[in-house]
Amino acid sequence: MNIALLIQAAMRYSAPVLLAAVGALFCDCAGVTFIILEAQMLLGCFFAVIAGYYFQSWAAGVLCAVLASILLGWFFVWITMKMKAIELVVGFAINFLIDGLTIYLLRMVFHQTGSFVSPEIPAIPRITVPVLSQIPLIGNLFYQQTWIVYFAFLSVLIAAVLIYHTSFGLHILSSGANPEAAKAVGIHIGQTRIQCIMIASVLCGLAGSQLSIGFLSMFSEGMTVGKGFIALGALMFSNRKPALVLFITLLFGFAEAIGNQVQLSGTIASELVLMIPYLAVLACVFVKKPIPEQI
Amino acid sequence: MIIIKQIEMRKITKTFGNLTANSEVDFLVEPGKIYGLIGENGAGKTTLMRMLYGMYEPDGGEILIDGKPVQLKSPKDAIDAGIGMVHQHFALVPTLTVTQNMILGRPIQKKNKLLDIKKAEQMVEALGKEYKLEVPPKALIKDIPVSIQQRVEILKALYLGADLLIMDEPTAVLTPQEIVKLFQTLVELRNAGKSIILITHKLNEIMQITDEILVLRLGKVTGHVLTSETDERRIAEMMVGRQLNPQKAKKTTDQSKIALEVTDLEYIDKWGVRAVDHISFSLHKGEILGIAGVQGNGQSELIDILTGMVNNYSGSVCIDGKPVTPSMGTRIRREYGLGCIPEDRQLTGAAVGGTILANFIMSGYRTDDFSGKWMIHYKKARERTWEYVKRFTVKTDDIMNDALSLSGGNLQKLIVARELYLKPSVLIAAQPSRGVDIGATEYIHDTLIEHRNQGNAVLLVSNELSEIMTVSDRILVIYNGRFVGEADPKTATEEEIGLLMAGIERRDSRL
């Protein structure tokens, strides 16, 4: 097994999950039960492909993916905050809705079923960081990835600083832990939560773009295969610590990379192999103690 | 530098649907004074103050600061205008540190916009020294005691530049000694030129510390007086809008027989804390025994043991001469003659989703009064319930309404009526007047005394020392799950009992 290829694949696989998990981290800290990451990623996948294809530009694809995800985020905001619906229920409904909607649109727009593959779908260019990629072993981290992958890893750092070292972070944490306290000192809880949802929406849009035009340049039905939920699992495991979010998503990435290599060797049934990353995350969540109850 | 600020509320009116919470309230707040805002539950005290703090907008009237009308649309506006509020349920984030909570409303940042926690911690220490309100800057809020949390709240308001400090029921969670300390602080703040509004329903406190008193009743001002020119009784009458009746007289009773005998109770709670630590006492017939103590010193657990709500305790309980084992549940104990007015009437006192009728018959439905041979006899039950609802002056149009439709005081009266219906020889009354207005409190106290006069035993558990002092025949003080002293309400002073409640044992204590 080629270590360099494995590391590169693991980074590629973990990036979308990581982006979604960081988005979920913001929402969780702010006290929003935000489970539509999966739907936002899937919608992002779809629009990245569709816009990329029509405008013949990966940038347009990414932009549309992010916009679509933001729009869905606003829909969630409207229905939960303005219409006072329950976040969890709305979340489930949206996840199912988008799953069906992308399949429907795929048939209506491309007259395709199952998946849409075309050499005319543009891909996000791969970047090799000049000097850093020359370092032995570590260099693999900076070799032939899209900017979204690099940004995903950077986003963990940004989240850690924003949430735990700025006043915006204090607003987020207080909105989540004791909204009354936040309100009493004049913090606008609704705004803070909307800001967090928007951050998550942008990150999920990027994650979707990476999944569809960052690597494969195709769209297939339900191609996120639960990555949004894996992100939620990673978040639960992390106890809101960004470093642990990074750890578990990387674990997922490695498990998927190894799984794919095993699959290629063809010795084990592929259905079993496909379970590996999910089992790995599940095991982690089981091992971990639950977050101590907040007063 | 002291900024002199005069805040005036003029003809303030606020309605919620059909309910008028405040009607044409005038209130002038001058710097350097402590104001008492007093009134019964639902009199509109908190609503009035929330308007001053920008949490509600008044429907009519105006708020003026130094003579200029202002619009306070959010707490932020109020804070900017120099108004701070210490809420009854502290507005602190338990998972953040003292310092983080302090700077929540106004961050201290480095040049690069990151938080400067070190500088903020120094600020917290300096501010604490300045106002003699020392707090640990690095501790998490959930790890510090309630009285320190309150200091953090006061400091937070001061840090945000409050010239007027609104304190909503600040003494509810404090021991008598902590209350003294708090009042010293408030006096010092006043001397520094701050104004303070103390929202409370405790008369003795308001007489002790305030300069002026504003009394609200049903949303209207029923009195605005100088504290030096009034007394408790007159304030109380302004609060209830009528003359108060003297408390029911205690008849001499035969107190030679033991109604409840408790020996060597021990209970370790689910967190491994010894909540009840080898407690023994006996309660006599014809006696009201008061258990005084600061909340959380084992009172709730003791009640749960006696009523059978928990059964993993050790020690023996004997109700009216009949021994009960830990495994005997609530039903057997009730049959032995135990009744209980629970401390949380919403949770264990009543099934608020059920009807008033259901709530009334739920303890005695097995008796012939309510049931035929096989089924509940609803016609009889309705008659009985109406009879008791009327006798206990529970205000309702229809006993088939949800219990939730009753106000706190009326629900409590319903529970008292239910518990007394079976004429228990031992009645446990836990916080019977919590959140209940003066009228209902008066009534409940009289009922307890009447029950005692009939030769029954009452165990009164309350955080309100004044309640214990006025109603009991004998007082036991609980601290850390143990009785630390016994007192006679006729001779003991509140200070003596207060010291015991704080865990400072007397040398000559009889236990």
Side-chain angles (χ1 to χ4, degrees):
Chain A
M1 212 176 279
N2 186 329
I3 289 289
L5 280 180
L6 190 70
I7 290 177
Q8 283 160 26
M11 277 180 74
R12 204 162 51 227
Y13 289 131
S14 38
V17 183
L18 185 55
L19 283 165
V22 169
L25 175 67
F26 276 98
C27 292
D28 187 48
C29 287
V32 184
T33 312
F34 196 69
I35 62 162
I36 62 166
L37 308 154
E38 177 84 4
Q40 288 186 312
M41 277 164 81
L42 191 57
L43 202 65
C45 290
F46 182 77
F47 277 95
V49 167
I50 207 172
Y53 180 74
Y54 273 107
F55 296 110
Q56 280 304 305
S57 146
W58 65 265
V62 173
L63 194 68
C64 281
V66 170
L67 282 179
S69 178
I70 286 178
L71 225 64
L72 191 59
W74 268 114
F75 178 64
F76 180 83
V77 167
W78 175 74
I79 210 163
T80 56
M81 292 192 186
K82 182 98 180 170
M83 309 306 285
K84 311 268 180 219
I86 298 166
E87 287 165 350
L88 196 68
V89 176
V90 173
F92 272 112
I94 290 181
N95 278 330
F96 287 123
L97 174 76
I98 297 305
D99 193 31
L101 186 73
T102 48
I103 294 173
Y104 175 74
L105 287 176
L106 187 66
R107 289 179 196 183
M108 295 305 292
V109 179
F110 293 112
H111 309 290
Q112 301 275 343
T113 47
S115 60
F116 176 63
V117 195
S118 160
E120 285 169 53
I121 301 173
I124 304 172
R126 310 272 174 92
I127 303 167
T128 299
V129 183
V131 184
L132 295 172
S133 57
Q134 301 304 316
I135 307 168
L137 201 64
I138 297 181
N140 290 312
L141 299 175
F142 302 97
Y143 184 74
Q144 284 285 304
Q145 304 285 5
T146 67
W147 65 271
I148 294 179
V149 173
Y150 297 125
F151 176 73
F153 289 90
L154 191 64
S155 74
V156 185
L157 196 67
I158 296 174
V161 172
L162 264 183
I163 295 176
Y164 293 104
H165 295 281
T166 66
S167 60
F168 176 55
L170 277 185
H171 292 190
I172 295 175
L173 291 170
S174 59
S175 300
N178 187 353
E180 290 304 313
K183 220 187 283 173
V185 289
I187 293 170
H188 202 301
I189 297 155
Q191 265 173 22
T192 308
R193 288 186 173 165
I194 291 173
Q195 282 160 355
C196 287
I197 290 175
M198 288 305 114
I199 290 172
S201 301
V202 170
L203 294 180
C204 284
L206 289 178
S209 315
Q210 166 65 22
L211 265 180
S212 59
I213 58 171
F215 177 51
L216 291 170
S217 286
M218 65 174 284
F219 177 82
S220 62
E221 292 173 2
M223 73 185 295
T224 46
V225 285
K227 287 198 167 64
F229 289 103
I230 291 296
L232 280 180
L235 174 71
M236 282 173 196
F237 172 81
S238 73
N239 222 343
R240 296 183 180 166
K241 288 193 181 72
L244 279 178
V245 172
L246 179 64
F247 168 76
I248 195 156
T249 44
L250 269 177
L251 187 80
F252 175 81
F254 268 103
E256 193 166 3
I258 292 169
N260 280 0
Q261 297 231 344
V262 173
Q263 209 179 346
L264 287 177
S265 71
T267 45
I268 307 172
S270 65
E271 287 82 1
L272 283 177
V273 174
L274 285 174
M275 279 167 45
I276 292 175
Y278 300 93
L279 282 177
V281 173
L282 203 60
C284 281
V285 177
F286 262 116
V287 166
K288 190 195 149 275
K289 283 184 193 155
I291 300 175
E293 212 172 285
Q294 295 200 342
I295 309 156
Chain B
M1 187 183 68
I2 299 162
I3 307 155
I4 301 295
K5 271 207 178 117
Q6 190 193 53
I7 295 166
E8 187 177 1
M9 301 183 88
R10 218 181 257 170
K11 296 224 176 304
I12 295 287
T13 300
K14 176 78 186 171
T15 52
F16 297 102
N18 289 329
L19 184 88
T20 306
N22 287 128
S23 166
E24 308 217 324
V25 176
D26 290 316
F27 192 12
L28 177 70
V29 181
E30 289 175 326
K33 279 192 183 172
I34 300 181
Y35 292 83
L37 180 59
I38 197 162
E40 305 233 70
N41 289 300
K45 307 177 298 256
T46 305
T47 308
L48 185 69
M49 288 301 110
R50 286 195 169 171
M51 281 187 275
L52 195 50
Y53 195 57
M55 295 170 90
Y56 298 147
E57 271 187 73
D59 297 329
E62 54 184 357
I63 298 170
L64 301 103
I65 294 181
D66 289 336
K68 285 187 283 288
V70 287
Q71 297 279 323
L72 303 173
K73 287 193 185 302
S74 72
K76 190 142 187 51
D77 294 344
I79 291 166
D80 293 343
I83 299 169
M85 185 157 177
V86 174
H87 297 262
Q88 187 174 5
H89 305 286
F90 301 141
L92 296 170
V93 184
T95 46
L96 296 182
T97 66
V98 168
T99 305
Q100 284 174 319
N101 268 284
M102 290 274 294
I103 62 171
L104 201 53
R106 193 198 296 151
I108 294 179
Q109 294 168 327
K110 296 180 207 159
K111 276 197 188 116
N112 57 12
K113 289 282 171 193
L114 294 187
L115 291 175
D116 195 341
I117 290 294
K118 202 163 202 169
K119 204 170 142 201
E121 280 167 356
Q122 286 164 359
M123 176 279 294
V124 172
E125 267 179 4
L127 204 64
K129 279 215 180 75
E130 188 185 337
Y131 290 105
K132 297 203 187 102
L133 285 166
E134 275 89 353
V135 292
K138 285 181 186 156
L140 292 177
I141 290 295
K142 61 177 179 181
D143 295 337
I144 60 177
V146 184
S147 58
I148 307 291
Q149 291 181 6
Q150 189 175 52
R151 285 191 199 175
V152 177
E153 275 277 53
I154 298 173
L155 273 183
K156 189 172 77 176
L158 294 171
Y159 166 67
L160 292 172
D163 296 311
L164 166 65
L165 204 59
I166 304 166
M167 311 225 24
D168 192 357
E169 302 278 359
T171 59
V173 288
L174 302 180
T175 65
Q177 276 69 28
E178 286 166 344
I179 293 173
V180 170
K181 177 87 183 34
L182 171 71
F183 283 0
Q184 283 167 358
T185 307
L186 295 186
V187 168
E188 271 177 41
L189 288 174
R190 173 187 64 187
N191 295 345
K194 311 264 181 202
S195 3
I196 293 157
I197 299 176
L198 196 68
I199 308 177
T200 183
H201 65 268
K202 289 183 189 168
L203 287 162
N204 54 346
E205 289 175 0
I206 211 152
M207 295 304 296
Q208 264 178 46
I209 184 174
T210 60
D211 299 305
E212 286 181 31
I213 301 174
L214 186 78
V215 189
L216 285 183
R217 181 170 169 270
L218 302 173
K220 291 197 181 77
V221 177
T222 51
H224 189 167
V225 289
L226 294 178
T227 311
S228 52
E229 293 172 0
T230 188
D231 58 53
E232 281 191 30
R233 193 164 186 88
R234 267 188 280 175
I235 296 285
E237 283 170 4
M238 285 187 237
M239 284 166 72
V240 293
R242 62 174 169 83
Q243 300 261 308
L244 291 178
N245 307 319
Q247 196 179 48
K248 199 173 191 87
K250 281 186 199 158
K251 279 197 249 166
T252 332
T253 49
D254 173 18
Q255 299 189 347
S256 59
K257 294 196 197 79
I258 288 177
L260 178 70
E261 173 98 70
V262 164
T263 7
D264 209 22
L265 280 190
E266 187 188 14
Y267 173 64
I268 292 165
D269 68 17
K270 59 183 166 184
W271 293 283
V273 176
R274 185 172 284 127
V276 173
D277 187 4
H278 301 284
I279 275 184
S280 304
F281 69 93
S282 43
L283 170 63
H284 301 89
K285 290 194 172 170
E287 177 190 48
I288 298 180
L289 173 61
I291 294 185
V294 179
Q295 195 166 357
N297 271 293
Q299 299 97 316
S300 309
E301 289 82 0
L302 177 63
I303 296 165
D304 284 349
I305 290 171
L306 295 176
T307 52
M309 295 289 279
V310 297
N311 50 24
N312 51 341
Y313 65 90
S314 68
S316 80
V317 177
C318 210
I319 300 169
D320 211 3
K322 296 177 275 281
V324 283
T325 60
S327 62
M328 287 180 176
T330 50
R331 181 170 160 187
I332 296 177
R333 291 170 196 235
R334 278 182 177 276
E335 280 166 9
Y336 281 5
L338 188 76
C340 180
I341 302 165
E343 57 183 331
D344 189 337
R345 60 175 165 269
Q346 304 274 349
L347 193 71
T348 41
V352 286
T355 60
I356 293 170
L357 174 91
N359 273 285
F360 182 73
I361 68 171
M362 65 171 53
S363 69
Y365 67 93
R366 287 188 202 88
T367 61
D368 291 343
D369 288 359
F370 298 126
S371 334
K373 198 169 180 194
W374 303 105
M375 282 188 276
I376 291 174
H377 201 308
Y378 272 105
K379 189 159 169 275
K380 262 201 289 190
R382 259 197 292 275
E383 283 165 11
R384 268 312 133 85
T385 307
W386 265 121
E387 183 194 330
Y388 267 71
V389 159
K390 289 215 175 91
R391 190 191 298 174
F392 282 77
T393 63
V394 180
K395 268 183 224 143
T396 178
D397 320 327
D398 189 355
I399 53 166
M400 298 314 282
N401 285 344
D402 280 358
L404 199 62
S405 67
L406 296 174
S407 71
N410 281 310
L411 181 59
Q412 186 74 334
K413 283 197 265 186
L414 179 71
I415 294 166
V416 172
R418 178 187 73 206
E419 293 304 323
L420 287 178
Y421 182 78
L422 294 175
K423 302 198 169 48
S425 52
V426 179
L427 177 68
I428 298 172
Q431 320 290 355
S433 65
R434 180 188 279 173
V436 169
D437 58 40
I438 294 186
T441 303
E442 228 182 7
Y443 189 84
I444 290 167
H445 286 172
D446 284 352
T447 311
L448 294 181
I449 291 172
E450 176 60 32
H451 193 61
R452 162 204 179 272
N453 286 350
Q454 289 168 1
N456 300 302
V458 177
L459 184 69
L460 173 67
V461 182
S462 175
N463 302 334
E464 300 276 348
L465 194 45
S466 55
E467 174 171 45
I468 298 257
M469 300 278 284
T470 51
V471 180
S472 316
D473 293 303
R474 184 160 65 99
I475 299 172
L476 286 173
V477 183
I478 195 167
Y479 176 74
N480 253 343
R482 286 186 307 123
F483 286 132
V484 291
E486 182 174 335
D488 182 344
K490 288 189 213 72
T491 54
T493 62
E494 288 209 9
E495 286 70 32
E496 286 169 0
I497 297 175
L499 283 174
L500 289 171
M501 282 164 70
I504 300 155
E505 277 183 68
R506 271 189 311 189
R507 285 233 178 82
D508 61 339
S509 63
R510 274 174 275 167
L511 273 175

